[in-house]
Amino acid sequence: SFSGGLGDTQFSFRLRQAGGQRTPHYEDDGEYNREAPLILQRESAHYFGYVYFRQVKDSSMKRGYFQKSLVLVSRLPYVNLFQSLLQLIAPEYFDKLEPCLEAVCNEIDQWPPPVPGQTLNLPVMGVVIQVRIPSRVDKPGSSPVKQFNQENLLPAPLVLPSIHELDLFRCFQPVLIHIQMLWELMLLGEPIVVMAPSPTVSSEMVLALTSCLAPLRYCCDYRPYFTIHDSEFKEYTTRTQAPPNIVVGVTNPFFIKTLQHWPHILRVGELRMSGDLPKQVKVKKLAKLKTLDTKPGDLFLILGIYTSYKTFLHKDKTLIKRLLKGIQRKRPSEVQSALLRRHLLELTQSFIIPLEHYIASLMPLQRAITPWKNPPQIRPFRQEDFMKTLEHAGPQLTCVLKGDWLGLYRRFFKSPNFDGWYRQRHKEMTQKLEALHLEAICEANIVAWMKDKSEVEIVDLVLKLREKLVRARCQHLPVKEETLQRVGLYIETIIGSLPEDLQAVLHHH
């Protein structure tokens, strides 16, 4: 990367997996993803890259500079853990090169797999990094559990308060007064370009934006740091079609020309310490961008959000006042970040709770699940029916913000985030139905059922039950182990009641 600054910089990127099979490399993938929060799931089609880059003057080098990057590639979005790891490894690596990496890889190979809910001690280069892997059952917005298993750990561990949470307040400081608008743009999956002075600022801003919908998963694409060498460059800069649903972070002034047809452009300066308040960037019309076309460099002096988007909801002035007061009182950044994170969490929850209530009402009643019939279907999601529920059970019950909530839902239904949320919930509900059905089978009296059935019907039942059992195990359905064992015994009992030739065929299968 060409970078004017000397010294060490850290940033992240994300890239699409090219071709090949998209099968998870890890056997425990399904299990990890089922227990991890949605925003920390392992991705099957993308990799994350975490970079530590050093550029210093060095007269012994042909170009007069030492320039090297150490990059860690993972499918996990553990930005804090991996950037902290690089802070330990990279300086040593630049000094001692390959032997150092080999030693580090040997240590990392011994690390336990990440299990949601567990606190792990990860030894590397004479340091023990201690982290807790978040779990889906953690209460949203709660701070990580204080760790107590530091007994007999020498040296004292380096405790990371979070494996993935950024200093939200520092990232959003220049755009605090527009936080509402940015949350809406992210919720609707709008195409956004973040123009920043460095890869560090670019990647932090993009990651902060994608995390502001938690616990809802941001289902669109995002590129924390994107360059003209990326393989999707042509795809994103073409004028013949609308920009994709993606947030891209860029630093090259060349992008001002190539991406000026995008609907939302956010231009930020260097992120400062959280103590001083940078000038709040203004919202400017996109047309302003066109007039700056002549000298791209000019735009880089003018910070702002270039968009013609009108928010559906009104600004939350009390939040902004609290945060500004916090700056005057030198309130610690983590406290400010926690306030901001809680506000965004409550906003997202207010928006999503009515959807959760409505989708739960589409689940068939438990008494409709009978052992000998296929489980009933989940009723279809009808947007108009949902809109009718908002009058009595809408976001106004939990959120003070006024505005056009109905309009926001209508736009949301067209976004990839709605599609992703609906698919995930539908899959979970289908699995729950399967589990309830298996339990109903366990409670049933199979012998009585078999009395008046033909062999064909009984064989058909055996095959169906077997298929259910395999599916329950493969998909890690939420079923008790004893239920699965009882179904297994049922199958054996039924087979045992059949003539020997049929028994042999079924056992062979």
Side-chain angles (χ1 to χ4, degrees):
S1 121
F2 163 77
S3 136
L6 287 181
D8 294 1
T9 38
Q10 287 187 265
F11 58 93
S12 331
F13 61 87
R14 181 171 176 267
L15 61 137
R16 216 179 267 171
Q17 177 177 325
Q21 280 206 303
R22 292 269 169 90
T23 50
H25 294 292
Y26 303 90
E27 290 310 307
D28 67 335
D29 225 52
E31 208 164 325
Y32 169 83
N33 277 356
R34 209 179 54 257
E35 291 172 21
L38 293 175
I39 54 172
L40 290 181
Q41 288 188 338
R42 226 184 233 122
E43 298 210 17
S44 58
H46 290 87
Y47 288 109
F48 293 96
Y50 303 96
V51 184
Y52 192 108
F53 172 60
R54 173 170 289 180
Q55 173 166 287
V56 286
K57 282 198 161 110
D58 183 342
S59 50
S60 68
M61 297 277 184
K62 201 164 135 192
R63 300 170 58 187
Y65 281 96
F66 171 93
Q67 288 175 312
K68 224 182 187 68
S69 284
L70 183 61
V71 184
L72 191 153
V73 177
S74 169
R75 289 190 185 274
L76 292 163
Y78 295 174
V79 60
N80 286 353
L81 172 60
F82 293 138
Q83 291 292 17
S84 305
L85 184 60
L86 284 173
Q87 282 166 20
L88 294 170
I89 305 167
E92 284 285 305
Y93 162 68
F94 295 144
D95 232 16
K96 306 189 175 117
L97 303 179
E98 269 63 36
C100 160
L101 278 195
E102 204 174 319
V104 164
C105 289
N106 286 334
E107 286 188 288
I108 292 176
D109 281 344
Q110 306 302 312
W111 287 6
V115 176
Q118 282 193 4
T119 296
L120 306 180
N121 293 309
L122 311 172
V124 64
M125 288 178 54
V127 179
V128 175
I129 303 177
Q130 190 175 79
V131 290
R132 181 180 179 275
I133 308 294
S135 152
R136 199 178 283 200
V137 295
D138 297 347
K139 212 169 124 287
S142 61
S143 59
V145 184
K146 284 278 171 281
Q147 288 126 358
F148 294 110
N149 56 350
Q150 298 184 3
E151 75 286 350
N152 64 38
L153 275 182
L154 288 166
L158 166 67
V159 180
L160 294 187
S162 161
I163 53 170
H164 68 292
E165 286 183 346
L166 297 160
D167 183 340
L168 263 200
F169 180 66
R170 193 171 71 98
C171 296
F172 283 146
Q173 223 177 336
V175 290
L176 273 185
I177 54 177
H178 310 302
I179 200 78
Q180 183 64 47
M181 178 200 280
L182 291 169
W183 177 82
E184 285 187 24
L185 292 175
M186 295 306 292
L187 181 73
L188 301 174
E190 286 285 311
I192 304 176
V193 185
V194 172
M195 292 186 171
S198 70
T200 310
V201 177
S202 150
S203 56
E204 281 196 3
M205 188 55 123
V206 171
L207 292 175
L209 284 168
T210 55
S211 73
C212 74
L213 293 183
L216 189 64
R217 185 180 188 162
Y218 177 71
C219 296
C220 310
D221 200 353
Y222 59 99
R223 300 301 159 94
Y225 177 51
F226 186 77
T227 74
I228 55 178
H229 306 292
D230 276 81
S231 49
E232 292 93 349
F233 177 73
K234 272 208 164 59
E235 186 186 323
Y236 295 166
T237 51
T238 171
R239 307 257 171 143
T240 52
Q241 59 204 56
N245 299 88
I246 180 174
V247 182
V248 289
V250 300
T251 58
N252 190 332
F254 176 68
F255 280 108
I256 293 164
K257 260 190 155 51
T258 51
L259 297 180
Q260 62 173 327
H261 60 295
W262 280 43
H264 319 288
I265 295 173
L266 169 58
R267 160 79 191 107
V268 286
E270 275 299 342
L271 297 180
R272 315 194 193 160
M273 290 312 292
S274 313
D276 49 345
L277 181 64
K279 243 177 52 203
Q280 293 293 303
V281 305
K282 296 199 163 42
V283 175
K284 304 180 171 71
K285 290 282 177 284
L286 272 166
K288 278 262 174 54
L289 199 53
K290 311 282 188 279
T291 59
L292 293 163
D293 206 16
T294 45
K295 289 186 287 185
D298 289 357
L299 177 63
F300 266 62
L301 306 172
I302 304 170
L303 307 184
I305 298 179
Y306 295 82
T307 179
S308 47
Y309 178 80
K310 294 271 175 287
T311 55
F312 286 92
L313 307 179
H314 307 317
K315 268 184 196 158
D316 188 341
K317 298 219 171 84
T318 47
L319 168 83
I320 296 161
K321 278 184 191 145
R322 277 184 77 184
L323 291 170
L324 294 180
K325 195 169 264 177
I327 294 174
Q328 288 164 351
R329 296 189 174 161
K330 306 233 181 311
R331 191 186 286 146
S333 183
E334 52 271 27
V335 180
Q336 296 274 72
S337 277
L339 276 174
L340 192 49
R341 193 171 274 113
R342 194 170 70 225
H343 166 76
L344 291 166
L345 174 75
E346 285 168 1
L347 191 54
T348 304
Q349 283 178 325
S350 293
F351 183 81
I352 218 78
I353 286 168
L355 285 161
E356 293 284 357
H357 280 166
Y358 174 72
I359 201 167
S361 74
L362 304 177
M363 184 84 165
L365 295 170
Q366 199 151 347
R367 61 168 181 269
I369 299 169
T370 55
W372 315 123
K373 282 200 193 111
N374 279 331
Q377 296 284 305
I378 297 162
R379 292 196 299 284
F381 190 108
R382 299 193 201 284
Q383 293 178 12
E384 286 316 309
D385 290 355
F386 165 72
M387 298 304 259
K388 284 180 196 135
T389 67
L390 292 174
E391 207 177 317
H392 311 294
Q396 71 279 2
L397 297 183
T398 50
C399 187
V400 292
L401 286 193
K402 300 276 181 280
D404 179 10
W405 286 96
L406 297 176
L408 189 59
Y409 281 112
R410 285 191 203 283
R411 268 289 278 278
F412 177 67
F413 288 142
K414 300 190 180 94
S415 83
N417 288 330
F418 169 69
D419 190 52
W421 170 82
Y422 177 69
R423 274 180 213 225
Q424 172 75 25
R425 296 296 288 116
H426 198 272
K427 182 175 138 193
E428 285 168 6
M429 285 161 69
T430 309
Q431 291 184 343
K432 178 83 179 128
L433 274 177
E434 281 276 316
L436 289 170
H437 193 220
L438 276 172
E439 276 160 24
I441 290 168
C442 272
E443 300 303 311
N445 183 342
I446 285 212
V447 181
W449 178 85
M450 281 163 50
K451 276 208 176 91
D452 54 348
K453 298 292 180 286
S454 67
E455 279 176 7
V456 174
E457 286 173 291
I458 292 172
V459 169
D460 187 48
L461 176 71
V462 168
L463 296 176
K464 271 194 178 140
L465 285 180
R466 261 196 192 157
E467 189 192 341
K468 271 188 170 305
L469 207 52
V470 169
R471 201 163 54 227
R473 291 207 187 280
C474 289
Q475 295 181 358
H476 300 286
L477 291 188
V479 190
K480 294 190 196 78
E481 183 55 37
E482 60 199 86
T483 304
L484 295 178
Q485 284 171 358
R486 276 174 70 186
V487 174
L489 281 172
Y490 268 10
I491 295 173
E492 291 306 314
T493 310
I494 303 170
I495 293 177
S497 72
L498 292 166
E500 278 182 11
D501 53 338
L502 272 178
Q503 283 191 33
V505 171
L506 286 169
H507 277 306
H508 180 65
H509 275 285

